[in-house]
Amino acid sequence: MAPKFEWWAKGNNNNRKGTPVVVKMENPNNWSMVELESPSDEDFLVRSREKSRNKNARQLTWVLLLKAHRAAGCLTSLGSALIALGTAVRRRIAAGRTDSQVSSSQKQNPAKKSKLFYSYLKVFLWLSLILLCFEIAAYFKGWHFGTSKLQLQFIFTTPFGVKGFFDWVYTRWVLLRVEYLAPPLQFLANACIVLFLIQSLDRLILCLGCFWIRFKKIKPVLKPDAISDLESGDNGCFLPMVLVQIPMCNEKEVYQQSIAAVCNLDWPKTKILIQILDDSDDPTTQSLIKEEVHKWQERGARIVYRHRVNREGYKAGNLKSAMNCSYVKDYEFVAIFDADFQPLPDFLKKTIPHFKDNEELGLVQARWSFVNKEENLLTRLQNINLAFHFEVEQQVNSVFLNFFGFNGTAGVWRIKALENSGGWLERTTVEDMDIAVRAHLHGWKFIFLNDVECQCELPESYEAYRKQQHRWHSGPMQLFRLCLPAVIKSKISIGKKFNLIFLFFLLRKLILPFYSFTLFCIILPMTMFVPEAELPAWVVCYIPATMSFLNILPAPKSFPFIVPYLLFENTMSVTKFNAMVSGLFQLGSAYEWVVTKKSGRSSEGDLAALVEKDGKKTKHQRGVSAPETESEKNAEKTKKKKHNRIYMKDLSLAFLLLTAATRSLLSAQGIHFYFLLFQGISFLLVGLDLIGEQVE
């Protein structure tokens, strides 16, 4: 509707009221003027104008009511969330299950180093509380000493400068921290800042490399005849013999879907053999897996079941034992999948062709995708980390260096490369990284396929994720100590040695957890009690925020979680630092191997249904359903109950950071206060096990 403007036209000198006029204007070049001659027309105009105003007022009222309703809904949801959080905290505290108690009940004696680390944290926490009391008392007394040593000495030596025992103690404390504590603390802070900047520069270079790959659309290219060979079917020239291995151990939640997925791989049946490598020590689980293998054998799949009496060497020992079978010599490639991985039928047809006419290629690695990445906050944060790992780290290292760490699953190895590199070794808990480093030293090249995905599960509980991260960060340090002499003596170029020693091991596996824990969890709160040592705001806020932004780019849908991601990464630095030290100094916990708990979520909705349908059909055909039913009953009986627990180390650091945040208020350090406050809350949530799967 065209806008309307009204004014009173000028009349003669005796009629000052004038004549009512309505101007209708649709645009500056198209307008008209209508003169109202009768009073009824004027009344009609007034009524129309009042009606329009009333209508606009009603519309505005409805809009305001709608916004108020939405705001009330948000407040209600927030209130419900806070009530649920409070209930969970109260239930967790009432249960009183701490990580140390659970370890004792499971007859797993925690390492002495872990207890010592926890004791240091408790001492540091109590000391910070005492210092906070001193600082608060001094603040209300109005003491604001400068940092000049001459000024402090004057206050200390002047007879009237000290009044009472408390004043004397506090003055001594100020002199102590200025002369003895601040210099080494500032030196350590500066050293960590340098390491922080180097690691941030490395992260920036990796991101620039990823942008260049996307801009130039660089990706591994197949040889000209590879695609035509595959399209020609069984008569093609390159359909080699492929061995498929699935190592598993007590993973009854996922064995069906993984076996079903590999049995449906699109490859000639005469040129593929599937090995189910079972290390389970539970007889019920063994029985279930055997029956599943037998079912697929009856359907025509070439699949065998292998079980070891003991778990010596863990996964590496399992794979090594399987490769010693006499029939392995007939196969050229081996594809490895963990028990929760579900490759699509065309997986081999997208990976094997890259080996054609490329005799230097030893490994083709596919990308992981996750069926439960939106299950809870913990899985969302893991997805951010792993998306960056595959999209940036693996892809950039593959394109520019032809080397990266094997992810242990969803990859295809040339068996000759494995044998030439010494095969699987049981010396560390990261056998995948071990074989990749040795293959690289022997000159083999790797390819990462970012567009080939294999779906799997993320740990949904903090307990499972914590144990997984401990193994992933202690193993590389074990391997670094063992393979450093071999790297130095190898015949690879100096540039590759620098990349392997400094970037691959030291910077990304040792320096990252060291400075992350030391700088943000130790030095930062200490600077609140020793204010003469300072951390600039750009170290506390701006660079970490920039790095988090770069990390989240490969998973843009996770951008709303950028702040929780930053805080959670600093929270996990405690576990990673502990694991790194354990692996570097060969402590007892470095050799722990705990299978990551799975929930059994299928990648496709019909896959689980297919497995169930096939299972029922097989039972009916065999007519021996009783044994399987009994196995299922036993599996339900032996299923361990899940529990949430309290993690004392994280809680200790939470109270330490919150204490430091309170102290920062006295110095009016805004950025430092907010960082310490939210970081302390993050540690509190993790310490109470409120971030992952919640068990009622």
Side-chain angles (χ1 to χ4, degrees):
M1 183 175 65
K4 296 181 179 180
F5 304 93
E6 177 184 351
W7 72 86
W8 297 98
K10 290 184 179 180
N12 52 29
N13 294 333
N14 296 327
N15 183 10
R16 299 181 60 87
K17 182 178 180 181
T19 306
V21 177
V22 175
V23 178
K24 297 180 179 180
M25 180 180 293
E26 297 182 2
N27 56 63
N29 298 323
N30 183 12
W31 59 277
S32 60
M33 182 172 62
V34 179
E35 182 177 347
L36 303 179
E37 297 179 353
S38 63
S40 60
D41 292 338
E42 182 177 350
D43 294 340
F44 173 75
L45 176 64
V46 173
R47 288 196 303 270
S48 298
R49 184 173 58 191
E50 292 178 353
K51 184 178 180 181
S52 177
R53 288 178 178 175
N54 292 335
K55 183 178 180 181
N56 291 337
R58 286 196 300 270
Q59 289 177 345
L60 179 61
T61 302
W62 279 110
V63 170
L64 293 177
L65 287 175
L66 181 61
K67 290 185 178 295
H69 180 266
R70 290 179 178 176
C74 293
L75 291 176
T76 304
S77 302
L78 181 61
S80 302
L82 291 176
I83 292 174
L85 181 63
T87 304
V89 172
R90 187 166 59 251
R91 185 171 62 246
R92 195 81 73 253
I93 295 175
R97 290 179 62 89
T98 64
D99 48 348
S100 58
Q101 291 174 349
V102 172
S103 298
S104 301
S105 64
Q106 294 175 351
K107 298 181 181 181
Q108 296 176 355
N109 294 326
K112 293 183 179 179
K113 185 265 175 190
S114 180
K115 289 184 177 180
L116 187 62
F117 182 67
Y118 176 46
S119 300
Y120 285 154
L121 286 180
K122 288 195 295 184
V123 171
F124 194 36
L125 172 61
W126 283 108
L127 181 61
S128 64
L129 289 174
I130 295 173
L131 293 178
L132 177 62
C133 295
F134 268 101
E135 296 293 342
I136 292 176
Y139 180 81
F140 284 107
K141 281 178 172 290
W143 295 349
H144 300 286
F145 295 159
T147 58
S148 170
K149 184 185 297 186
L150 180 63
Q151 182 180 358
L152 291 172
Q153 288 177 347
F154 175 77
I155 295 174
F156 178 70
T157 56
T158 302
F160 301 101
V162 178
K163 297 179 180 179
F165 176 75
F166 177 83
D167 301 4
W168 179 83
V169 170
Y170 184 78
T171 307
R172 280 286 188 179
W173 158 244
V174 173
L175 286 173
L176 175 67
R177 76 189 190 194
V178 170
E179 294 184 357
Y180 300 104
L181 298 182
L185 182 61
Q186 187 65 61
F187 175 79
L188 182 60
N190 293 338
C192 287
I193 290 174
V194 172
L195 297 178
F196 180 36
L197 292 176
I198 294 174
Q199 198 275 333
S200 301
L201 180 62
D202 173 64
R203 188 63 54 95
L204 180 61
I205 292 174
L206 286 174
C207 291
L208 292 176
C210 183
F211 292 149
W212 180 258
I213 291 172
R214 282 197 172 190
F215 178 72
K216 291 293 185 178
K217 298 181 180 179
I218 302 174
K219 64 179 182 178
V221 180
L222 291 172
K223 299 293 181 180
D225 331 347
I227 299 179
S228 60
D229 284 349
L230 283 175
E231 292 176 348
S232 62
D234 291 344
N235 297 324
C237 300
F238 194 70
L239 287 171
M241 300 288 286
V242 179
L243 183 67
V244 178
Q245 296 178 334
I246 306 182
M248 57 178 62
C249 179
N250 296 327
E251 293 173 283
K252 53 179 172 287
E253 297 86 0
V254 294
Y255 73 94
Q256 282 185 313
Q257 59 197 43
S258 60
I259 293 176
V262 296
C263 287
N264 283 287
L265 287 172
D266 186 9
W267 202 255
K269 298 298 181 183
T270 58
K271 296 190 175 184
I272 186 173
L273 175 66
I274 301 168
Q275 287 181 319
I276 304 302
L277 311 177
D278 185 21
D279 264 5
S280 302
D281 55 8
D282 176 26
T284 302
T285 305
Q286 296 176 24
S287 176
L288 291 172
I289 297 175
K290 281 183 182 178
E291 291 173 359
E292 186 70 14
V293 170
H294 183 66
K295 180 188 74 175
W296 284 100
Q297 287 175 342
E298 290 183 342
R299 292 174 60 94
R302 295 190 66 209
I303 182 172
V304 295
Y305 174 85
R306 286 179 52 85
H307 179 263
R308 294 197 304 163
V309 178
N310 56 44
R311 287 189 64 202
E312 183 180 356
Y314 303 112
K315 183 179 177 181
N318 199 357
L319 293 172
K320 181 179 180 180
S321 174
M323 294 300 292
N324 289 331
C325 295
S326 58
Y327 52 78
V328 172
K329 65 179 184 299
D330 299 327
Y331 293 84
E332 189 175 355
F333 302 99
V334 56
I336 302 172
F337 301 99
D338 281 350
D340 60 316
F341 277 71
Q342 304 137 36
L344 295 177
D346 60 352
F347 180 86
L348 294 179
K349 289 195 171 182
K350 288 184 176 180
T351 54
I352 294 293
H354 289 275
F355 289 97
K356 181 177 173 59
D357 299 331
N358 193 353
E359 296 299 326
E360 295 181 344
L361 182 61
L363 168 67
V364 174
Q365 172 74 58
R367 178 174 179 160
W368 299 358
S369 59
F370 310 103
V371 298
N372 59 339
K373 61 184 179 182
E374 297 181 355
E375 183 65 23
N376 54 42
L377 179 59
L378 178 61
T379 58
R380 291 177 185 272
L381 300 179
Q382 291 179 69
N383 180 57
I384 296 173
N385 249 342
L386 291 171
F388 181 87
H389 169 69
F390 286 108
E391 182 83 16
V392 180
E393 293 179 339
Q394 297 291 74
Q395 187 172 211
V396 170
N397 288 323
S398 171
V399 170
F400 295 103
L401 299 174
N402 294 122
F403 166 73
F404 50 84
F406 174 45
N407 293 116
T409 177
V412 181
W413 276 95
R414 188 188 296 271
I415 294 180
K416 182 180 178 181
L418 290 176
E419 295 173 347
N420 178 253
S421 305
W424 299 104
L425 298 182
E426 306 161 1
R427 55 183 183 173
T428 70
T429 57
V430 284
E431 72 294 325
D432 45 9
M433 185 181 294
D434 189 359
I435 187 63
V437 170
R438 286 184 283 118
H440 180 57
L441 296 180
H442 282 79
W444 292 99
K445 296 182 178 180
F446 304 162
I447 284 180
F448 174 73
L449 302 179
N450 193 51
D451 56 348
V452 178
E453 297 184 354
C454 187
Q455 292 195 332
C456 61
E457 291 185 13
L458 290 167
E460 296 182 6
S461 68
Y462 177 66
E463 177 196 3
Y465 179 66
R466 184 167 167 264
K467 291 179 179 179
Q468 181 196 68
Q469 292 299 304
H470 186 278
R471 177 164 54 88
W472 285 5
H473 286 81
S474 65
M477 289 297 97
Q478 300 174 24
L479 180 60
F480 177 66
R481 295 177 72 256
L482 294 172
C483 72
L484 181 60
V487 174
I488 296 175
K489 297 177 183 178
S490 65
K491 297 180 181 180
I492 60 176
S493 64
I494 296 179
K496 290 183 178 180
K497 290 182 181 180
F498 174 81
N499 171 71
L500 200 56
I501 295 175
F502 181 73
L503 296 180
F504 186 76
F505 278 114
L506 291 181
L507 186 60
R508 298 167 190 165
K509 303 296 188 298
L510 189 149
I511 291 177
L512 177 59
F514 171 77
Y515 87 75
S516 182
F517 170 74
T518 307
L519 187 62
F520 296 111
C521 300
I522 299 298
I523 295 178
L524 178 59
M526 286 184 68
T527 57
M528 298 299 101
F529 298 101
V530 186
E532 292 78 16
E534 298 180 350
L535 278 181
W538 57 268
V539 174
V540 177
C541 179
Y542 303 125
I543 291 187
T546 304
M547 292 300 104
S548 298
F549 177 76
L550 293 177
N551 283 8
I552 216 167
L553 286 179
K557 292 183 179 180
S558 303
F559 187 79
F561 301 94
I562 185 171
V563 174
Y565 170 73
L566 171 62
L567 298 174
F568 181 68
E569 279 302 289
N570 290 334
T571 305
M572 284 304 300
S573 66
V574 180
T575 298
K576 295 176 181 178
F577 176 81
N578 189 12
M580 181 268 293
V581 173
S582 299
L584 188 62
F585 296 102
Q586 298 292 295
L587 302 179
S589 61
Y591 296 97
E592 293 179 357
W593 180 286
V594 181
V595 178
T596 305
K597 294 180 181 179
K598 315 295 192 310
S599 61
R601 302 184 187 277
S602 178
S603 60
E604 299 172 342
D606 57 345
L607 183 58
L610 174 65
V611 172
E612 183 180 358
K613 180 179 177 181
D614 291 340
K616 291 180 180 179
K617 182 178 178 181
T618 306
K619 292 180 200 176
H620 178 71
Q621 289 177 347
R622 289 161 57 189
V624 285
S625 58
E628 185 162 353
T629 304
E630 190 67 27
S631 299
E632 292 174 353
K633 289 181 179 179
N634 292 336
E636 290 297 325
K637 290 180 181 179
T638 58
K639 187 176 181 180
K640 295 181 179 179
K641 293 183 179 180
K642 296 180 180 179
H643 298 278
N644 293 110
R645 60 196 61 184
I646 297 174
Y647 297 95
M648 302 305 295
K649 293 179 188 176
D650 300 284
L651 281 184
S652 299
L653 275 169
F655 293 123
L656 170 63
L657 293 171
L658 293 175
T659 303
T662 306
R663 172 62 181 86
S664 69
L665 288 177
L666 304 180
S667 305
Q669 300 187 35
I671 292 294
H672 298 69
F673 165 74
Y674 288 112
F675 182 88
L676 289 167
L677 174 64
F678 290 115
Q679 191 64 69
I681 293 174
S682 176
F683 270 103
L684 188 63
L685 295 176
V686 170
L688 293 173
D689 199 3
L690 297 172
I691 191 173
E693 180 185 21
Q694 299 300 301
V695 181
E696 295 295 336

